[in-house]
Amino acid sequence: MTQEQAADDIIICRDVHKWYGDFHVLNGVSAYVRRGEVVVIFGPSGSGKSTFIRTINRLEVHQKGTIIVDGIEMSDDLRNIDAIRRETGMVFQQFNLFPHLTVLQNIMLAPLWVRKRKRSEAEAMAYELLERVGIKEQALKYPGQLSGGQQQRVAIARALAMQPRILLFDEPTSALDPEMIKEVLEVMKELAHTGITMLVVTHEMAFAREVADRMFFFDKGQIVEQGTPEQIFNNPQHDRTKQFLSQIL
Amino acid sequence: MSTTAQELERPQQQSDVGAWLRQNLFNGVLNTLITIVLVIFIPIVLFLIVRWAIFEATWQPVATNFRLLMTGRYPIEHVWRIQACMAIIYLLFGLSAGIWQGMVRTIGIGLVGFAIFFALFPFSVSARLWLVGSVVAALVGYFVGRPFSSKLRIPVIVLWLISPFIFWLLIRGGMLGLPLVTTNLWGGLLLTIILAVVGIIASFPIGVLLALGRQSKLPIIKWCCTLYIELVRGVPLISVLFMAVLMLPLFLPSNIRIDNLVRVLVAITGFSAAYLAENVRGGLQSVPRGQYEAASALGLNVFQTTFLIVLPQALRAVIPALVGQFISLFKDTSLVSIVGLAELLGIAGIVINQPEWLQVTGGVEREVLLFAALVYWFFCYTLSKISRRIEAHLGVGTR
Ligand SMILES: Nc1ncnc2c1ncn2[C@@H]1O[C@H](COP(=O)(O)OP(=O)(O)OP(=O)(O)O)[C@@H](O)[C@H]1O
Ligand SMILES: [Mg+2]
């Protein structure tokens, strides 16, 4: 079932385990993600999806197994963690924009302080990104003045400002009203065609069908099944997958 | 929707004053009683106070001792130095208000209010001219700062940073040809303001560092900060002042003498910092975890996360508490008269006991203390007004 590892896979996870106390939240996850691939992760609540993608940029620490991101092995070494975080951007369910900074400052922050770009350069790039996510005119507003959909698009622009190779999305549309979900998914679809690697935890199955190269089905801390949307939707192998799909489709 | 509803209701309410009174003042037996009692007593009390203030009170001691109350025994021929400091502060605030607008301008307006308030007092003509001059300095600063904001930004910051040394040099002297005025001559409102401002400015960074230290992952730092905070919060300010003034010399070698004022300043700063730390800690806890995660995900390091993301939000959340604390610090400075420094309240005590007022029936205590209270009130009220403006400006609570 598991896809074979290839030489230049951008994310390599081998037998990753994590416990919260006695609770075995990740129970031997092995996964390989190709460069430029769009992977949709889905599964029941509490199955460890968030925990899994958060181990990839070290928001969560895994306790056993190997994670290699773009050739850098995840360890306690702060330099490795910094290097991996420069390669990965993350978009959260709750946006997590910085409320005391304007939209523009939110986006320029990391380029200025982490990448040490010149202010003029960072600003030009920020406007370019805002144009890409379609809210250039909101640049000088504060996050609290924007709608949820606009905030999430700012969050995407902020993640892109670090020019990452990998974007991690943790249920980016779950906190949004239905009419705003579409505008965020549109932006994500655009991104998917740019060759950036994307890991998306979502239950937007129409999005998965259209955009995903592969899908991981998570259950009880494991990837129970993976495959192309075609395989997953039309010919799921495991009972758990079938059952879960029948519940959400 | 709701506005139209209000508009529909309002004319009715206005047309019926009786209904409003019934609803707000006479709803229920208890409220009716309270209303009646207050309606009778407030005018009577006000009338008695005003009658006393105009016809019976002896304001002579306040008027003749005005300079003493303001600057203590600071030599009269050097008072211009204090006035120069004031003018510099006003100029700097004017410049800053012009450059940064917003919050700084609010503070600037408050300061101009101070100057106008004091210009109404029976100062000498020259002192009033200085007050007006300070206001003019602020205005000039503002109108110079506004058009040249981008060019003046760095110089003004540098000026602010060196200004404490300029003030120290001017007020104390003993250098560059300025005669020395030792700190035991400083007094009155001047001393109150020095104690409060230095206490506030110095305790702020220390308090923030203590709060951060208390959250530290390193146990030694965490325990030291916690110990300090809890120790200081467990004793009254008076005892800290006594320790600084009376007991510290016992522990120091006899050839080392630290200025009394400096010791008191250290005590006040250390005391205030502990309370500030607890307030800031509340703010730190109010910053959601998502903010830390977003900062980490962007690759910000611990320092950047703390100073760019967490602290600005934490401090905003506790501005009301911080200002409340600064107000109480301002009032607590009155305790230093107990260890022999004659700040505003200390001088008031001296004035009350001056022999020339002994034959005044009933003494002059009430007048002098009322005056001191009025000055304290004006400062504290302005501080809290400024804080409310700052809060509104920052939109606290609109996350
Ligand atoms: N800090 C923590 N301490 C203890 N248990 C935790 C912690 N964080 C998460 N868990 C538990 O780990 C399990 C997996 O959590 P995770 O957030 O990864 O699930 P998920 O698949 O993303 O679910 P959802 O769809 O609800 O977001 C859950 O049962 C959760 O209660
Ligand atoms: Mg989740």
Side-chain angles (χ1 to χ4, degrees), chain B residues 89-109 111-112 136-154 156 160:
Chain B
I89 291 176
Y90 274 68
L91 180 68
L92 278 176
F93 262 108
L95 281 167
S96 309
I99 294 171
W100 286 284
Q101 303 283 328
M103 268 164 52
V104 194
R105 197 173 57 182
T106 309
I107 300 173
I109 292 170
L111 281 177
V112 170
V136 171
L139 291 176
V140 168
Y142 183 73
F143 289 109
V144 170
R146 211 160 58 158
F148 300 109
S149 68
S150 52
K151 273 187 201 146
L152 286 175
R153 212 160 276 218
I154 305 285
V156 169
W160 271 119

Side-chain angles (χ1 to χ4, degrees), chain B residues 28-162:
Chain B
V29 180
L30 185 65
N31 268 0
T32 307
L33 267 177
I34 293 175
T35 303
I36 290 171
V37 169
L38 289 182
V39 162
I40 295 170
F41 273 93
I42 291 178
I44 292 178
V45 170
L46 275 181
F47 172 76
L48 288 177
I49 291 178
V50 170
R51 197 183 61 176
W52 170 79
I54 295 176
F55 297 108
E56 294 168 25
T58 317
W59 294 107
Q60 199 57 38
V62 174
T64 28
N65 291 296
F66 204 83
R67 197 170 58 78
L68 196 64
L69 286 161
M70 291 298 114
T71 58
R73 287 181 290 131
Y74 202 91
I76 187 163
E77 66 272 24
H78 295 304
V79 167
W80 66 268
R81 297 198 211 157
I82 295 164
Q83 292 165 332
C85 289
M86 184 171 160
I88 293 174
I89 291 176
Y90 274 68
L91 180 68
L92 278 176
F93 262 108
L95 281 167
S96 309
I99 294 171
W100 286 284
Q101 303 283 328
M103 268 164 52
V104 194
R105 197 173 57 182
T106 309
I107 300 173
I109 292 170
L111 281 177
V112 170
F114 278 139
I116 293 171
F117 176 78
F118 279 108
L120 299 175
F121 278 91
F123 270 121
S124 63
V125 177
S126 73
R128 284 185 187 196
L129 277 179
W130 267 105
L131 285 167
V132 174
S134 298
V135 173
V136 171
L139 291 176
V140 168
Y142 183 73
F143 289 109
V144 170
R146 211 160 58 158
F148 300 109
S149 68
S150 52
K151 273 187 201 146
L152 286 175
R153 212 160 276 218
I154 305 285
V156 169
I157 291 175
V158 172
L159 273 180
W160 271 119
L161 290 178
I162 59 169

Side-chain angles (χ1 to χ4, degrees), chain A residues 75-210:
Chain A
S75 65
D76 290 333
D77 191 334
L78 282 179
R79 277 167 306 178
N80 282 9
I81 295 172
D82 280 346
I84 288 172
R85 284 181 177 162
R86 281 158 178 258
E87 301 290 327
T88 54
M90 188 163 212
V91 177
F92 301 85
Q93 183 176 350
Q94 299 298 339
F95 328 134
N96 292 349
L97 293 176
F98 304 128
H100 61 298
L101 302 177
T102 63
V103 165
L104 197 65
Q105 290 168 330
N106 263 277
I107 299 173
M108 288 165 60
L109 189 76
L112 285 178
W113 292 91
V114 183
R115 289 249 189 251
K116 316 276 184 208
R117 288 276 144 78
K118 276 198 228 109
R119 183 163 284 276
S120 56
E121 229 173 89
E123 191 171 315
M125 182 170 71
Y127 272 112
E128 209 172 285
L129 287 169
L130 280 174
E131 177 129 55
R132 220 160 120 189
V133 299
I135 39 173
K136 198 175 178 184
E137 66 285 354
Q138 315 284 2
L140 299 180
K141 288 196 182 163
Y142 285 89
Q145 298 168 299
L146 304 183
S147 75
Q150 291 172 327
Q151 290 192 46
Q152 195 59 300
R153 286 187 280 160
V154 173
I156 294 173
R158 182 179 68 176
L160 286 172
M162 282 294 286
Q163 301 179 311
R165 304 219 168 127
I166 303 166
L167 270 184
L168 308 171
F169 292 85
D170 191 358
E171 307 208 29
T173 57
S174 297
L176 297 178
D177 294 335
E179 69 270 22
M180 294 169 187
I181 292 179
K182 208 169 142 255
E183 63 189 48
V184 171
L185 289 180
E186 284 305 319
V187 170
M188 291 169 61
K189 282 179 200 167
E190 292 275 307
L191 280 177
H193 299 307
T194 61
I196 194 167
T197 308
M198 288 168 53
L199 258 67
V200 186
V201 176
T202 183
H203 291 124
E204 295 291 334
M205 286 302 144
F207 171 82
R209 208 187 282 265
E210 186 182 336

Side-chain angles (χ1 to χ4, degrees), chain B residues 355-374:
Chain B
E356 52 263 55
W357 320 115
L358 286 179
Q359 70 276 27
V360 178
T361 41
V364 295
E365 222 165 5
R366 282 169 300 185
E367 290 84 348
V368 177
L369 289 181
L370 191 72
F371 169 78
L374 203 69

Side-chain angles (χ1 to χ4, degrees), chain A residues 54 57 59-60 85 88 90 92 96-101 109-110 113-114 116 144 158 162, chain B residues 289-301 304 308-310 312-313 316 398-399:
Chain A
R54 288 154 62 89
N57 65 351
L59 289 187
E60 303 286 355
R85 284 181 177 162
T88 54
M90 188 163 212
F92 301 85
N96 292 349
L97 293 176
F98 304 128
H100 61 298
L101 302 177
L109 189 76
W113 292 91
V114 183
K116 316 276 184 208
R158 182 179 68 176
M162 282 294 286
Chain B
R289 226 181 68 172
Q291 294 289 310
Y292 293 87
E293 292 178 348
S296 303
L298 285 172
L300 299 179
N301 63 32
Q304 292 165 338
L308 298 174
I309 307 299
V310 178
Q313 294 184 54
R316 259 162 223 236
T398 56
R399 185 172 276 289

Side-chain angles (χ1 to χ4, degrees), chain B residues 120-276:
Chain B
L120 299 175
F121 278 91
F123 270 121
S124 63
V125 177
S126 73
R128 284 185 187 196
L129 277 179
W130 267 105
L131 285 167
V132 174
S134 298
V135 173
V136 171
L139 291 176
V140 168
Y142 183 73
F143 289 109
V144 170
R146 211 160 58 158
F148 300 109
S149 68
S150 52
K151 273 187 201 146
L152 286 175
R153 212 160 276 218
I154 305 285
V156 169
I157 291 175
V158 172
L159 273 180
W160 271 119
L161 290 178
I162 59 169
S163 64
F165 303 102
I166 297 177
F167 298 148
W168 182 257
L169 176 71
L170 268 171
I171 297 180
R172 187 167 175 276
M175 262 180 286
L176 302 180
L178 280 176
L180 179 73
V181 180
T182 50
T183 56
N184 61 336
L185 295 178
W186 307 8
L189 183 62
L190 167 74
L191 186 58
T192 297
I193 290 178
I194 289 177
L195 289 167
V197 170
V198 173
I200 288 170
I201 291 177
S203 68
F204 184 75
I206 298 173
V208 168
L209 288 180
L210 280 171
L212 290 172
R214 198 171 180 171
Q215 306 241 303
S216 168
K217 288 200 183 79
L218 300 174
I220 312 170
I221 295 180
K222 186 183 166 129
W223 289 118
C224 286
C225 291
T226 309
L227 187 74
Y228 178 82
I229 291 168
E230 294 306 334
L231 217 62
V232 171
R233 272 161 38 98
V235 292
L237 176 57
I238 291 230
S239 59
V240 178
L241 288 172
F242 271 124
M243 270 204 287
V245 174
L246 302 176
M247 287 171 62
L248 196 66
L250 301 181
F251 300 122
L252 289 176
S254 56
N255 55 347
I256 297 182
R257 283 217 50 223
I258 304 176
D259 192 296
N260 226 358
L261 176 63
V262 172
R263 275 187 258 164
V264 166
L265 279 174
V266 170
I268 287 181
T269 303
F271 186 81
S272 173
Y275 282 86
L276 215 129

